[in-house]
Amino acid sequence: MHLQNIMDEIEKTDPEVYERLDTRRNAMQQFATLGGRIALAALPFALGGMFKRAYGQSTSTILNVLNYALTLEYLEAEFYTTGAASGIVPAGTPAVAAINTIRDHENEHVAFLKSTISSLGGMPVSKPTFDFTAKGTFSNVFTNYDTFLAVAQTFEDTGVRAYKGRAAELLGNSVVLSAALRIHSVEARHASHIRQMRSARGAIVKPWITGNDTGGIGSAVQANYNGEELTIQAGVNIAQFVSINAASESFDEPLTASQVQALVSPFIV
Amino acid sequence: MNHMKTNLPDTGNTGDVLPANHLGRRKFLSYLGMVGGGAAVLAACRKDKNNNGAPPGSIDLGSGDIGVLNYAYALEQLEAAFYTQVISTPYSGISSAEQSLLTDIRDHEIAHREFYKAVLGAKAIPSLQVNFSSINFSSRDNVLATAKAFEDLGVSAYNGAGQLLTNADYLLLAGKIVSVEARHAAYLRDLISNGSFADNTAVDANGLDLINKPIDVLNTAKTYLQSTLYGGNLPVK
């Protein structure tokens, strides 16, 4: 076993290995100290422990989920910040305060996630450059109030699904899991309110999601709602207790990271 | 143990010399001060009898993930019973939109309740007896305030319970439900005061929603329950 070769191989795969292990020099010193202190047979276990600290399932997975969440919160925060400043929200109506409330929450989520990532020793991802027209699909997003609300609804409902889809990866860290759940339910409150705002403007939509219905937004966001129509949960047919519609409404469904990435990518330049 | 089922003095059973049989169960308990005001002594006895610390007459939610699911099941039972009453005796001045969406919420809570009952199977706690004597179901203000309190409580309970689970599938299922409760909470808050869906009584300065431990949630819920729940065996973090 040649430690130098092992480190070289790891370096090819992960150029940041020395940041994780402190520095290359310190890493090699750690190896030397380990080798001097313990029996050769035990060395692999000691190395395992050292790498677990650097790449431990818990911390690296958690940072990955938090940076994923941060990217989505950047999207929402900039969307509402831009929207609130654009004048598209009718002045003198309760909508102004509602949109400002949501804008503030999304910006708070960004700040909170960045500080949580840093406190765990991670590096917050930087904010992407966004295109809220989704490459032209919603070209009037900041000039047509209904389009603005349609995109808002889609972001909120999708955000709820995105957090849900990755909560299980946080099971090892109670503090982070609880915080993520608390953001998740705030997004659901937002979704409920935006849907009510759309309903008040004539859209056929309820505060909750029925089947995979987009609430009249249409095919551009159908993929954001597909899968919500599920009525069997953990093998239990919910439609035996209540209507099919209520059965689908009563459970919100998760999305995987790759599904969310595909849905969000049109909004990222 | 057949003889323990009767309160009548047992004079015929000469094979048993325990005082309980000579005096009859009722008299025996009375002798020990256990009838009526002596419930605490009985509780202590039961505790010693490997009853997991649950007071007599209480329903033990259990431990581990099953305990957490029973905790959720209890809350869903409470919510379902509440909305069932709301819909069967609508408050004065209820609008058709309110009637329709409150019926949706009732159905969602029934779906949640029945889901937990099915998943828990033999490990499910029994059906709870509710006590809604403090609620004026004919008053819109009172019904909506209670509904909002229940929904916020439910959100805070789920947010606090997630970390108590060890099974990822259960966590996901709880997550599927809590966001629906949050949608309800926002709707009810907006019915009471438009724009209060996520105000600073629900969301803190970091943009985080309510969170509560089971002990606090159960303490609030007991106002509305005839049954007594015992959460002392639930996981703690």
Side-chain angles (χ1 to χ4, degrees):
Chain A
M1 182 164 64
H2 199 298
L3 291 178
Q4 190 70 44
N5 287 352
I6 292 173
M7 292 308 293
D8 287 345
E9 286 305 309
I10 293 172
E11 193 175 7
K12 281 181 203 161
T13 311
D14 178 6
E16 291 167 7
V17 61
Y18 297 112
E19 287 177 22
R20 298 178 202 278
L21 287 169
D22 193 356
T23 63
R24 181 186 180 95
R25 182 192 177 87
N26 283 353
M28 295 316 288
Q29 274 180 353
Q30 282 189 54
F31 280 127
T33 313
L34 280 171
R37 279 214 317 262
I38 57 181
L40 196 58
L43 193 56
F45 297 104
L47 288 176
M50 186 170 152
F51 280 115
K52 187 155 171 80
R53 282 194 295 281
Y55 295 96
Q57 174 78 14
S58 42
T59 306
S60 76
T61 303
I62 285 165
L63 287 172
N64 184 284
V65 175
L66 289 173
N67 267 319
Y68 170 80
L70 176 58
T71 303
L72 297 175
E73 297 292 349
Y74 277 138
L75 174 78
E76 292 184 306
E78 187 167 305
F79 172 73
Y80 289 107
T81 301
T82 307
S86 71
I88 188 64
V89 185
T93 71
V96 174
I99 295 299
N100 288 349
T101 295
I102 298 176
R103 173 200 63 194
D104 292 349
H105 289 161
E106 309 301 7
N107 281 291
E108 286 156 14
H109 293 164
V110 166
F112 177 81
L113 289 168
K114 284 168 97 170
S115 100
T116 303
I117 290 164
S118 298
S119 71
L120 289 172
M123 180 68 77
V125 290
S126 51
K127 183 165 68 70
T129 302
F130 295 116
D131 168 16
F132 294 109
T133 74
K135 306 193 180 357
T137 304
F138 304 105
S139 56
N140 57 357
V141 62
F142 293 124
T143 53
N144 179 298
Y145 186 43
D146 290 309
T147 303
F148 174 74
L149 290 180
V151 173
Q153 178 193 304
T154 306
F155 283 166
E156 297 296 346
D157 283 335
T158 305
V160 171
R161 301 187 72 177
Y163 274 95
K164 210 184 306 294
R166 301 202 69 182
E169 294 174 65
L170 303 176
L171 263 173
N173 188 317
S174 298
V175 175
V176 175
L177 172 61
S178 298
L181 290 174
R182 296 172 71 189
I183 295 177
H184 167 249
S185 59
V186 169
E187 303 295 347
R189 287 178 188 267
H190 294 170
S192 177
H193 189 78
I194 295 283
R195 295 169 75 90
Q196 292 176 71
M197 291 171 80
R198 292 192 63 243
S199 170
R201 292 180 59 81
I204 309 298
V205 65
K206 299 195 282 192
W208 25 91
I209 302 167
T210 309
N212 66 353
D213 183 42
T214 64
I217 301 172
S219 59
V221 302
Q222 188 58 61
N224 298 67
Y225 289 90
N226 286 343
E228 287 281 9
E229 68 277 13
L230 198 64
T231 55
I232 293 176
Q233 301 292 345
V236 179
N237 177 15
I238 306 301
Q240 71 184 296
F241 310 123
V242 293
S243 70
I244 287 270
N245 281 349
S248 75
E249 291 164 357
S250 55
F251 291 78
D252 281 337
E253 299 303 322
L255 288 171
T256 65
S258 60
Q259 286 174 316
V260 171
Q261 194 162 23
L263 294 170
V264 167
S265 65
F267 293 95
I268 296 178
V269 175
Chain B
M1 295 294 279
N2 270 347
H3 58 278
M4 293 298 281
K5 283 185 180 170
T6 175
N7 288 332
L8 294 171
D10 182 351
T11 53
N13 187 348
T14 53
D16 191 335
V17 296
L18 285 174
N21 288 295
H22 288 291
L23 301 173
R25 180 169 183 260
R26 188 176 184 84
K27 277 192 177 173
F28 176 53
L29 294 176
S30 191
Y31 173 71
L32 290 177
M34 283 183 179
V35 169
V41 181
L42 193 59
C45 288
R46 292 221 180 160
K47 195 167 186 175
D48 290 339
K49 280 188 160 186
N50 200 16
N51 205 19
N52 297 323
S58 70
I59 296 167
D60 184 8
L61 293 172
S63 60
D65 283 4
I66 295 300
V68 178
L69 295 185
N70 265 321
Y71 167 56
Y73 176 41
L75 296 176
E76 298 293 353
Q77 286 194 50
L78 180 61
E79 290 187 303
F82 170 75
Y83 289 106
T84 297
Q85 184 66 45
V86 169
I87 297 306
S88 72
T89 57
Y91 52 78
S92 17
I94 193 168
S95 71
S96 61
E98 289 168 9
Q99 175 107 34
S100 171
L101 291 181
L102 288 170
T103 301
D104 275 8
I105 297 180
R106 176 200 63 184
D107 291 348
H108 301 163
E109 307 300 4
I110 288 173
H112 296 161
R113 180 191 68 198
E114 295 305 311
F115 166 75
Y116 281 117
K117 187 178 183 183
V119 164
L120 283 159
K123 290 170 180 164
I125 55 169
S127 293
L128 302 180
Q129 302 297 311
V130 295
N131 174 4
F132 292 150
S133 59
S134 63
I135 304 167
N136 178 359
F137 283 94
S138 65
S139 158
R140 181 179 187 271
D141 286 353
N142 195 226
V143 166
L144 294 183
T146 308
K148 170 202 160 217
F150 279 157
E151 297 295 346
D152 277 346
L153 185 70
V155 170
S156 76
Y158 276 103
N159 282 345
Q163 61 181 313
L164 305 180
L165 289 166
T166 62
N167 180 305
D169 294 335
Y170 293 155
L171 178 66
L172 176 59
L173 288 161
K176 290 179 177 206
I177 291 174
V178 63
S179 56
V180 175
E181 305 291 356
R183 290 174 188 272
H184 295 168
Y187 167 65
L188 289 158
R189 285 171 154 268
D190 283 337
L191 275 186
I192 293 167
S193 173
N194 185 31
S196 66
F197 59 100
D199 68 17
N200 62 11
T201 62
V203 180
D204 73 12
N206 285 319
L208 306 183
D209 210 324
L210 302 167
I211 183 166
N212 270 314
K213 292 177 163 52
I215 189 170
D216 298 321
V217 172
L218 293 172
N219 199 39
T220 301
K222 74 180 181 190
T223 307
Y224 305 98
L225 287 171
Q226 194 72 45
S227 307
T228 306
L229 297 174
Y230 181 70
N233 294 312
L234 291 174
V236 176
K237 279 238 167 104

